[in-house]
Amino acid sequence: MTLTQLSGYRLMWIFVMFDLPVTSKVENRAATKFREYLLDEGFEKSQFSVYARFCNGKEQFEAYLRRIEAHLPARGDVHILTFTDRQYENIVRFSGQRRKRSRKNPDQLALF
């Protein structure tokens, strides 16, 4: 078995951001179902209505994109962004008025 060098420019993060209506029981159920779907797909809640997931390249991102598209609620706005692993390392985070340490990216061995 040969080891392949994984590049921080190939590895990616997917951010799903959404604004879904919840003014009726039907809309509320659809929004809840969408959030639960993202969690089931391995996304983690970064902020309210912002979910993130690590993936190992453009092909895997395209597969997630197709699956997310198949589970979109009938109404509302969903935005999907991608960042390379290197770009993700440079995100500056604050909690309150304090700067937080950068998030540690998953170890490369965690992919296998």
Side-chain angles (χ1 to χ4, degrees):
M1 172 177 6
T2 61
L3 294 177
T4 303
Q5 181 70 22
L6 297 176
S7 167
Y9 297 101
R10 173 173 159 63
L11 302 173
M12 302 175 78
W13 286 88
I14 306 167
F15 277 68
V16 178
M17 304 176 300
F18 52 89
D19 184 14
L20 303 176
V22 290
T23 55
S24 71
K25 285 184 180 182
V26 171
E27 290 173 341
N28 194 26
R29 277 193 293 269
T32 298
K33 188 175 177 182
F34 185 67
R35 285 191 297 275
E36 289 172 349
Y37 170 75
L38 291 175
L39 292 171
D40 289 345
E41 284 290 311
F43 284 81
E44 66 180 38
K45 184 177 180 179
S46 178
Q47 292 182 2
F48 189 73
S49 297
V50 178
Y51 287 70
R53 188 186 198 295
F54 186 76
C55 72
N56 89 15
K58 185 105 173 118
E59 298 81 20
Q60 191 177 36
F61 163 71
E62 293 293 336
Y64 277 112
L65 184 60
R66 284 189 301 274
R67 290 198 304 263
I68 292 169
E69 187 174 10
H71 287 84
L72 290 173
R75 295 179 30 123
D77 296 317
V78 177
H79 301 267
I80 300 175
L81 303 172
T82 59
F83 298 93
T84 66
D85 196 41
R86 293 287 184 221
Q87 291 170 320
Y88 183 79
E89 287 177 352
N90 294 323
I91 293 175
V92 178
R93 298 179 22 197
F94 292 91
S95 181
Q97 293 183 337
R98 294 186 181 207
R99 185 177 229 171
K100 296 189 80 165
R101 284 185 290 138
S102 297
R103 290 186 181 181
K104 181 172 179 347
N105 295 339
D107 293 328
Q108 291 181 359
L109 293 177
L111 296 173
F112 304 101

